Amino acid sequence: MNAAAWNQMLLAPWRQRDRMAPWGRRLLAALMLLSIAAALYVAPGLWPQVVAASLALAAATLWMVLIGSLLVQNHPHAARFVPGHARQLRQAALAAWALLSATAAVLPWLLLPGTPSLPALLLLSAAVLAFAAWAVRQWMLWFLLSFGPALFFGAGLDRRLAPLWQALRALWEAQTLPVLALGLFGLGWAVARLFGDGDAAHLQAYACRARLQRAARGGMNGKRDDAGAFGRPGEWLARPFDRAAAAWLRHTLATARPDEASVMQRAEIVLHGQQHWLRQALGTLFALGLAALGFLFAFTMAGKDLQGHWQQGAYGMAIGLASMGFNPGFSLPNMLWHSRREQALLRLLPGMPLGARQNHALAWMQLRQCLVAWTLTTAALAGLAHATGDTSLLCLALGTLPLSPGALLRPPARMKAPSAWTVALPIFGFLVLGWGLYALQKHWSVPLPLLAAASVAATLAVGAWCWRRALRAPDALPAGRCA
């Protein structure tokens, strides 16, 4: 009976998958296999390391899928009123955790002779999977994973706790199996504690995860929910942004006039919602401030080779900076779809342009916001390139230009419901094109002015064609009515 119940619980992610849109999973699998094949082709002598890392990553991915599904099945009503439901979930989770932890430890141990002992690998893999499971339930643990190492080493805790690590290492070497058994027992207890029994705390935690899942599904479709999905911490972080947006709304209403500029200024608040330019600017500044503080703290504590760390991480910092500056602009057309119900009322505003004037006003509003973001982000990339001596980083900005007109100037009246593909395609194209231009300039020494001229020429050609098409299209609002 338990085996049949486990079968239903563990196979739920496969049976509940989206059968109407399997391209995403197939594309992800194809990209993973292509990456493995490319790694084996570039470094054939490292095939044991590549295969071991790939299998361990596959086991961890499968665990994340399984634990996410089991937590969804742990509904408070079922846990409280269905006899044995919570117990069977715990048993299924412990069985999957034990099997995948052993798989992630044994395969690298067999393929890599120089790895640590099997008990050490087993304890490490079990601890990593247990932490990942708790991070699925408590999203704030991901911050510990992101900032924990910098704070740990930056504050010198590694030196202060050195005697404790030595004592634990001596205990491990003297009593390996008892310590392993005790560690696995504690981790198993932590995995079992993931599941609630239907009390008030379980009900609150389940509702919080449900909000996060709805926000994640909305994000895959181009919709950005407010920070309330993250519970009280999200509401606390979003409070300054909400106050700034409310102040801007009061300003636009106090200075309202029945002309096109004032009407579009008020309409923009509704059309772009959470992607309004004010929220984008404040969010980007907040993220840049956190990143700057983190880098400053890490580099200050690094001490010796500050310039070396700065130059080695230049490309990664440029990718993060470009993503924060460019990606929000690609989401503007998708926000028109999610606000289409309110757009019928916006057409009744005194002074709202109609016909080609409306298309012109809406297209210019989105292009202006994207152009300002591109200019500021390019200036930041130029500063980073100057500080690190790597002018090739500007290729990330050049790779964004040709994609922007096609992404922003789609006729809103003919647009279809956004999907994961329409959301990810511009971002994926920006990364591929930016990386290609970076490789041309960095490794093949193509002059940067030549790449800039080609990017600008392609942008002007694509932009002129998309602009004429946008002006000849039906009235932009409400969006999607001609799809």
Side-chain angles (χ1 to χ4, degrees):
M1 183 65 183
N2 286 336
W6 292 2
N7 178 55
Q8 297 294 328
M9 293 175 178
L10 295 177
L11 292 180
W14 174 259
R15 292 171 176 169
Q16 296 172 357
R17 71 191 189 279
D18 186 5
R19 299 172 186 260
M20 300 300 295
W23 59 267
R25 295 185 302 274
R26 295 173 182 174
L27 179 61
L28 181 60
L31 289 176
M32 293 178 62
L33 293 177
L34 183 61
S35 302
I36 295 173
L40 293 176
Y41 177 78
V42 173
L46 299 179
W47 72 266
Q49 290 85 344
V50 173
V51 174
S54 303
L55 293 176
L57 181 61
T61 303
L62 180 58
W63 167 249
M64 295 294 287
V65 173
L66 289 177
I67 196 63
S69 175
L70 291 176
L71 287 175
V72 171
Q73 298 177 55
N74 186 216
H75 195 281
H77 295 169
R80 185 174 183 179
F81 298 111
V82 178
H85 180 73
R87 184 185 69 253
Q88 291 175 350
L89 285 175
R90 293 189 180 96
Q91 293 173 353
L94 287 173
W97 170 74
L99 178 61
L100 293 175
S101 298
T103 302
V106 172
L107 292 177
W109 180 70
L110 293 176
L111 293 173
L112 304 176
T115 55
S117 62
L118 181 59
L121 283 177
L122 182 59
L123 184 60
L124 177 62
S125 62
V128 169
L129 295 188
F131 176 84
W134 269 97
V136 172
R137 177 174 173 175
Q138 301 290 342
W139 61 271
M140 295 188 68
L141 289 178
W142 293 116
F143 286 99
L144 178 63
L145 185 63
S146 301
F147 301 103
L151 295 175
F152 182 81
F153 292 102
L157 293 179
D158 55 332
R159 297 187 299 271
R160 298 177 184 178
L161 297 179
L164 177 61
W165 301 136
Q166 294 175 0
L168 292 177
R169 182 175 181 179
L171 179 61
W172 171 264
E173 293 175 351
Q175 302 289 337
T176 302
L177 293 181
V179 173
L180 175 63
L182 182 62
L184 293 178
F185 177 80
L187 292 172
W189 177 82
V191 171
R193 293 292 299 172
L194 283 168
F195 302 95
D197 294 317
D199 54 4
H202 181 200
L203 185 63
Q204 183 178 2
Y206 192 89
C208 181
R209 287 198 305 274
R211 290 195 301 268
L212 289 175
Q213 290 167 358
R214 287 194 298 269
R217 286 193 295 267
M220 292 298 294
N221 294 328
K223 183 180 180 181
R224 180 182 173 186
D225 293 331
D226 56 15
F230 295 92
R232 291 184 178 179
E235 295 176 355
W236 180 77
L237 290 175
R239 192 170 300 165
F241 304 95
D242 294 337
R243 290 178 178 176
W248 178 254
L249 177 61
R250 289 193 298 269
H251 168 73
T252 57
L253 293 178
T255 59
R257 301 181 307 274
D259 54 34
E260 181 177 316
S262 178
V263 169
M264 294 306 298
Q265 187 181 59
R266 284 172 281 154
E268 185 179 12
I269 300 175
V270 179
L271 295 176
H272 292 163
Q274 294 294 323
Q275 292 292 356
H276 186 260
W277 66 266
L278 180 61
R279 290 182 178 273
Q280 282 190 1
L282 293 177
T284 303
L285 290 176
F286 179 74
L288 287 176
L290 285 181
L293 289 177
F295 287 138
L296 180 62
F297 180 80
F299 289 155
T300 302
M301 295 301 178
K304 299 181 179 179
D305 192 15
L306 175 60
Q307 186 65 23
H309 287 289
W310 181 263
Q311 293 178 350
Q312 291 176 3
Y315 186 75
M317 289 186 288
I319 287 290
L321 184 62
S323 299
M324 285 189 294
F326 297 143
N327 290 350
F330 293 135
S331 64
L332 295 180
N334 297 325
M335 295 303 296
L336 296 179
W337 172 267
H338 296 293
S339 62
R340 65 192 185 280
R341 294 183 178 179
E342 294 83 1
Q343 293 166 14
L345 296 176
L346 289 178
R347 290 175 59 91
L348 303 178
L349 281 176
M352 171 64 72
L354 301 175
R357 289 180 55 201
Q358 184 181 95
N359 297 347
H360 177 276
L362 182 60
W364 172 241
M365 181 177 65
Q366 296 192 352
L367 279 178
R368 182 179 65 243
Q369 180 171 338
C370 189
L371 182 61
V372 172
W374 183 87
T375 303
L376 296 177
T377 306
T378 303
L381 286 174
L384 181 61
H386 176 72
T388 59
D390 188 3
T391 57
S392 302
L393 299 178
L394 293 174
C395 293
L396 296 176
L398 299 178
T400 309
L401 276 179
L403 300 175
S404 300
L408 295 174
L409 296 179
R410 292 179 293 167
R414 299 191 182 119
M415 71 182 304
K416 297 181 180 180
S419 63
W421 176 254
T422 58
V423 173
L425 183 60
I427 300 175
F428 181 73
F430 143 67
L431 293 175
V432 171
L433 188 56
W435 181 85
L437 294 178
Y438 180 85
L440 287 175
Q441 208 282 326
K442 187 75 172 178
H443 301 290
W444 282 279
S445 301
V446 178
L448 187 62
L450 180 61
L451 294 177
S455 176
V456 171
T459 303
L460 292 177
V462 175
W465 179 76
C466 293
W467 183 265
R468 290 195 299 268
R469 184 185 63 169
L471 294 184
R472 291 196 300 264
D475 287 12
L477 306 179
R481 70 182 187 281
C482 299

